[in-house]
Amino acid sequence: MTLAIPPTPPEAGTAPRTLRGLHETGYDYDAPVELAHHVGHLRPRDTPVQTVREWRLSVVPQPDDGAVTATAAGDAAATATSVVVTAGVHQSRDPWGNHRVGFSHSRVHDRLMVVSGFIAEVAPPLPLHPEVSPAWERVAERLRYRPGAGFDEAVEFTLGSAYAPRDAALAAFGAEVFRPGVPLLAAALALMHLIHRRFAYRPLATSVSTRAPEALAQRQGVCQDFAHVMIGAMRSLGLAARYVSGYLLTQPPPGQPRLIGADASHAWVAVWCPGLGWIDIDPTNDLQPGSGHITLAWGRDYGDVCPLRGVIRGGGRALPRVAVTVEPVS
């Protein structure tokens, strides 16, 4: 079987790109909100190819008092990142090391506006050589859970989760390209091609609660669905894959196509490969993420890294207004 492998990204080997981003979330409630608690993942994280230089968070109305306004104690990234947040916002880290914020309102209000802004430097990824990665079956055997064995971060991401469970239909779908003896990364890229080719990008076809088996059956959805299908298929074969949330460059450089998912939060997949670690793959756009992708957070699935969620008393029915802009710093 011949596997199509994407060419090395044209930006590979170029200098890091500095990007400025703005993520705005607004609610105009149908009825007054009497009490609200919110938690979110809105601050991009540092990675081997990404350095966050500045992050600002504004919440209107101002949350209840009592929280610090600087980064959480022990945050090593604080030395390299300028952070300014509205008073009353708590900052912490979640189990996967992502930045997390929380805030509450005990005063009556009828609207909420949360604005996150950042400046980050993103380097292009190193070129991939999928053919030299180990056969996927060997990797799956290595990742098989064994009671009493030492902790391996990747093993956690072989287990099913709410949005991306282990499932027979997902395993059968993945088996179309995960043939015996195929190198892990070559098969992962082939699965990326398969999803991109078989699935239609239709924003209203699914909801935020759609799981991978349902998205597979419908063969349509958005970036969240594409990522969950790929993650679920790989986990169902015993491999490790995690969900990555982030943003895309809104307007690409001249001569390059505009990526699907710009103007909103985006999602892609990271695949674990021995000797190489976590390799990012974007099935929505059928490519290896580059310096136009901003990493926000990662986890088992969307439920772990939702940008903003809350519990409120009152409010009626109100859908969020979300706007995202990411552009180069001139």
Side-chain angles (χ1 to χ4, degrees):
M1 177 183 179
T2 301
L3 295 174
I5 298 174
T8 300
E11 63 177 351
T14 60
R17 175 185 287 167
T18 302
L19 301 176
R20 175 187 291 109
L22 191 67
H23 181 173
E24 301 174 285
T25 305
Y27 287 87
D28 289 310
Y29 299 110
D30 293 339
V33 174
E34 301 172 6
L35 181 67
H37 301 285
H38 289 88
V39 65
H41 292 83
L42 292 166
R43 174 178 168 181
R45 63 181 296 161
D46 288 332
T47 75
V49 298
Q50 176 174 294
T51 301
V52 181
R53 296 302 184 191
E54 178 181 308
W55 179 65
R56 296 173 177 269
L57 182 69
S58 170
V59 179
V60 178
Q62 182 176 322
D64 296 343
D65 295 332
V68 295
T69 58
T71 51
D75 184 356
T79 57
T81 307
S82 171
V83 177
V84 178
V85 301
T86 297
V89 174
H90 295 266
Q91 298 184 71
S92 62
R93 296 274 191 152
D94 71 11
W96 298 278
N98 303 304
H99 297 284
R100 179 174 55 193
V101 297
F103 55 89
S104 300
H105 292 99
S106 58
R107 295 181 294 275
V108 175
H109 56 284
D110 57 13
R111 67 187 304 268
L112 173 69
M113 177 61 70
V114 181
V115 179
S116 172
F118 63 84
I119 295 177
E121 294 177 1
V122 187
L126 295 174
L128 284 182
H129 300 285
E131 69 282 355
V132 301
S133 60
W136 73 267
E137 302 100 324
R138 288 170 48 200
V139 179
E141 175 62 26
R142 173 174 171 175
L143 289 170
R144 184 176 299 174
Y145 174 73
R146 296 176 176 84
F151 174 77
D152 188 329
E153 177 200 23
V155 172
E156 177 182 14
F157 293 96
T158 67
L159 306 177
S161 62
Y163 285 90
R166 288 189 171 197
D167 175 86
L170 289 167
F173 180 69
E176 293 188 34
V177 291
F178 278 85
R179 302 290 181 83
V182 175
L184 170 64
L185 291 183
L189 291 171
L191 181 58
M192 174 187 74
H193 296 323
L194 185 66
I195 293 171
H196 185 77
R197 186 170 65 251
R198 296 266 186 92
F199 285 67
Y201 186 87
R202 292 179 180 163
L204 300 179
T206 56
S207 73
V208 72
S209 61
T210 300
R211 300 163 65 249
E214 290 79 53
L216 176 65
Q218 294 181 211
R219 301 297 174 100
Q220 57 187 345
V222 294
C223 57
Q224 173 181 316
D225 304 300
F226 287 35
H228 283 152
V229 167
M230 184 167 183
I231 293 168
M234 294 192 67
R235 288 178 181 170
S236 298
L237 296 172
L239 299 166
R242 67 189 183 192
Y243 184 96
V244 185
S245 71
Y247 309 110
L248 295 175
L249 185 64
T250 306
Q251 294 295 337
Q256 295 187 22
R258 191 171 189 271
L259 297 179
I260 298 172
D263 295 329
S265 296
H266 190 52
W268 57 96
V269 178
V271 176
W272 185 80
C273 180
L276 296 175
W278 293 97
I279 304 298
D280 286 358
I281 293 175
D282 184 348
T284 303
N285 290 292
D286 200 26
L287 51 75
Q288 180 188 1
S291 60
H293 284 65
I294 294 286
T295 298
L296 186 62
W298 57 62
R300 295 165 299 180
D301 57 30
Y302 170 79
D304 288 334
V305 294
C306 177
L308 189 66
R309 63 176 11 138
V311 177
I312 66 173
R313 180 193 298 166
R317 177 176 174 80
L319 297 176
R321 305 183 315 278
V322 179
V324 173
T325 302
V326 179
E327 59 187 5
V329 175
S330 56

